[in-house]
């Protein structure tokens, strides 16, 4: 094990997989000479050269389409959009093409490609650069979605994503890049898709989260422990495939659940997760499932009001208290 | 004075061009009939009138070259070698279809033939064509990618992004715009500030030519030249083939936006009889031989319809198949 940042863990995953597979190429906005807007691709151009690490024009839709074609032609492209917000310019290639091609062509081809996109709010980047679009992708079948919470998962999930023969949307949280953690050194260490982690065991309430929300949920659980409240925290790790079994089993055990999502509440993924718990655990639940979500507003710039729009430790703590107070 | 056909291709190849156009026409007209009978449903865009483009171009490409097209692509697939019966079965939605009934008319695909798909978002195939060309270049394969699209695609962002990218990365792509003058019902000059499509590539420093898309030999020669240029330079080339669809945009379109007079002018330029006359004039075939070809093509298409009718529907389990690996 080595301690490293989420950013360095992603960088190491890219390097290890580049060394392993000569069919892997990396291209995207400012990934080569500039070494990535968030420096995730630092040093790749120097190690692998300009044939394999390539800067592209700012043409998001075509970045994805290029990757689709390259994957169809037998390469293993890993592309980066500067932030997930720009995926909205590429939704045609992501949704109409990447996610459809295998099915609509009767399974005659597959697309081993990864689309890396930093995202999430909390950096005062205002309305156009602070979005959490995971529900948009989760709504669409035909692609996998990973969103790591820890440096270990950042490495392990990215390596799994690269080796996966399905197209993978790989989300990275901008506020987690500098977070540190222990990461296995084994170059064959892979984090499995479709298997949620019970990152903290507990008895009174289940908190379901992903990515930065998992970090906040763990902090909330720490605070609640001081009050004698025992929280079980589930980190989803991948949103497709979704490991519903793990959080359903946990909710059945504790009888209470809080679902935390960074995206907007309306039609957000938390509604789907909460519904799955209600449907599967109706008889075991002691209270309705509570959702903690981003507010349904375009993100404001000012620090003092931006923070109100994103789930925080205190909003999770408060939701847990509410769900414990309620009873059926 | 036109060049003698024998100076361009062998007798056999020249007759084969006619046969492929005849097969395409027979196939499309049979599709129209089957649509009317309710055997083909959904959208159906027919290629009648444009045959010289697919046939002339495919003849000038290597078997290893990739081909992509839009949603008016039955002929492109069949000329490339897809079995008419499996294409017809796909249109019927049957399990024996080229894509197991998952794609239908607009999404034919046959990687064994390097036919890399029919795409139904206007302009959506251009970035994918560039990606395929990049993969071939990266792996140092001697193959180019030919990407067909209509005049409607030239105002999409993907058109401009892909042309820019193909030139920037020096990708071996041949872009072929099949200009049939109408994006559904909107004529080119009503949608494009510069309706002469081939002139638009100057912004991307891509050489381009215009060719008579109703003349199979002209298309063959233009594509052959362009493809040689792509192979020689490793850079993209662009062709605008001027053509005309004899039917509406789709079967749902009676094409009332076109005048009968315009239609008659283009009907007189029908690529099949015009090419037949040249074959006859140069003694490459007799009228009886051409009639026999048409009969044979008719029989192949009839057989395809029979096969499609007799084929089973996809089973319920197919709903969940072939989505993920």
């Amino acid at each position: 094990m080595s301690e490293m940042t989420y950013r360095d863990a992603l960088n190491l995953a890219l390097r290890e997989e580049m060394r392993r597979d000569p069919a892997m190429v990396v291209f995207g906005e400012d990934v080569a000479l500039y070494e990535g807007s968030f420096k995730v691709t630092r040093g790749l151009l120097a190690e692998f050269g300009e044939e394999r690490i390539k800067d592209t024009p700012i043409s998001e839709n075509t970045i994805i389409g290029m990757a689709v074609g390259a994957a169809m032609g037998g390469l293993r492209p890993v592309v980066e959009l500067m932030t997930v917000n720009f995926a909205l310019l590429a939704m045609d290639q992501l949704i109409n093409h990447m996610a459809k091609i295998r099915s609509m062509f009767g399974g005659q081809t597959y697309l081993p490609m990864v689309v890396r996109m930093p995202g999430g709010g909390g950096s005062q980047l205002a309305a156009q650069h602070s979005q959490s679009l995971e529900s948009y992708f989760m709504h669409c079948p035909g692609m996998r979605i990973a969103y790591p919470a820890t440096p270990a998962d950042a490495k392990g999930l990215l390596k799994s994503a690269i080796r996966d023969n399905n197209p993978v949307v790989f989300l990275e949280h901008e506020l987690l890049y500098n977070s540190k953690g222990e990461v296995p050194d084994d170059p064959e260490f892979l984090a499995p898709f479709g298997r949620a982690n019970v990152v903290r065991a507990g008895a009174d309430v289940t908190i379901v989260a992903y990515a930065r929300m998992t970090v906040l949920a763990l902090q909330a659980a720490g605070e609640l422990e001081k009050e004698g409240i025992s929280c079980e925290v589930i980190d989803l790790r991948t949103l497709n495939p979704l490991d519903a079994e793990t959080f359903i089993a946990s909710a059945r055990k504790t009888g209470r659940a809080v679902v935390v999502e960074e995206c907007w509440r309306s039609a957000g993924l938390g509604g789907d997760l909460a519904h799955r718990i209600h449907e599967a655990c109706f008889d075991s639940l002691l209270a309705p499932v509570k959702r903690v979500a981003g507010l349904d507003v375009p993100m404001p710039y000012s620090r003092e009001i931006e923070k109100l729009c994103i789930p925080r430790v205190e909003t999770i703590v408060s939701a847990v208290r509410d769900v414990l107070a309620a009873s059926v | 004075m036109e060049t003698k056909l024998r100076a361009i291709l062998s007798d056999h190849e020249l007759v084969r061009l006619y046969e492929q156009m005849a097969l395409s026409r027979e196939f499309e007209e049979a599709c129209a009939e089957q649509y009317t009978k309710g055997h083909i449903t959904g959208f159906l865009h027919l290629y009648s009138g444009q045959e010289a483009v697919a046939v002339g171009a495919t003849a000038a490409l290597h078997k290893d070259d990739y081909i992509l097209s839009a949603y008016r692509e039955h002929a492109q697939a069949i000329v490339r070698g897809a079995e008419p019966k499996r294409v017809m079965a796909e249109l019927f939605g049957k399990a024996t279809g080229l894509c197991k009934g998952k794609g239908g008319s607009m999404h034919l695909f046959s990687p064994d033939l390097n036919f890399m798909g029919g795409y139904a978002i206007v302009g959506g195939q251009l970035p994918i064509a560039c990606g395929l060309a990049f993969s071939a270049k990266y792996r140092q394969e001697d193959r180019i990618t030919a990407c067909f699209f209509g005049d409607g695609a030239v105002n999409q962002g993907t058109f401009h992004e892909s042309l820019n990218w193909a030139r920037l990365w020096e990708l071996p792509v041949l872009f072929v715009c099949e200009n049939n003058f109408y994006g559904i019902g909107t004529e080119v000059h009503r949608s494009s500030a510069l309706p002469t499509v081939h002139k638009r590539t100057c912004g991307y420093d891509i050489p381009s030519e215009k060719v008579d898309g109703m003349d199979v030999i002209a298309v063959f020669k233009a594509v052959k030249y362009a493809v040689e240029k792509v192979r020689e330079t490793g850079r993209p080339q662009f062709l605008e083939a001027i053509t005309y669809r004899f039917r509406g945009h789709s079967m749902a379109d009676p094409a009332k936006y076109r005048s009968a007079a315009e239609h008659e002018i283009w009907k007189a330029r029908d690529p099949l009889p015009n090419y037949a006359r040249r074959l006859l004039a140069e003694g490459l075939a007799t009228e009886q031989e051409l009639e026999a070809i048409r009969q044979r093509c008719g029989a192949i298409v009839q057989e395809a319809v029979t096969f499609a009718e007799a084929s089973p529907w996809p089973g319920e389990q197919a709903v969940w198949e072939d989505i993920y690996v």
Side-chain angles (χ1 to χ4, degrees), chain B residues 94-149:
Chain B
K94 297 298 185 73
T96 54
L98 202 60
C99 299
K100 304 181 191 173
K102 288 273 183 90
S105 166
M106 301 185 283
H107 303 302
L108 301 174
F109 187 79
S110 187
D112 297 344
L113 301 167
N114 293 314
F115 183 77
M116 306 311 277
Y119 297 83
I121 304 295
V122 173
Q125 70 273 35
L126 279 86
I128 299 174
C130 291
L132 279 159
F134 171 65
S135 74
K137 179 177 173 161
Y138 182 85
R139 304 206 297 190
Q140 300 180 327
E141 296 168 337
D142 178 25
R143 65 166 107 205
I144 72 147
T145 299
C147 181
F148 295 82
F149 49 91

Side-chain angles (χ1 to χ4, degrees), chain A residues 210-287:
Chain A
Y210 59 91
R212 179 163 176 262
M213 298 301 102
T214 299
V215 176
L216 300 186
L218 284 168
Q219 289 170 16
E223 295 207 3
L224 289 157
E225 189 182 27
K226 295 173 198 159
E227 301 171 20
I229 298 167
S230 167
C231 298
E232 181 148 296
V233 179
I234 312 280
D235 175 20
L236 293 171
R237 305 162 98 199
T238 59
L239 301 176
N240 181 343
L242 179 71
D243 178 8
E245 270 178 40
T246 296
F247 66 76
I248 284 170
S250 174
R252 192 173 283 134
K253 181 184 79 176
T254 62
R256 302 175 198 270
V258 171
V259 172
V260 190
E261 68 209 286
E262 184 167 345
C263 54
W264 297 301
R265 173 183 295 268
S266 292
L269 65 90
D272 183 297
L273 304 183
H275 174 72
R276 287 171 193 257
I277 297 170
H278 284 136
E279 200 171 48
C281 314
F282 193 70
D283 294 336
S284 329
L285 288 181
L286 302 168

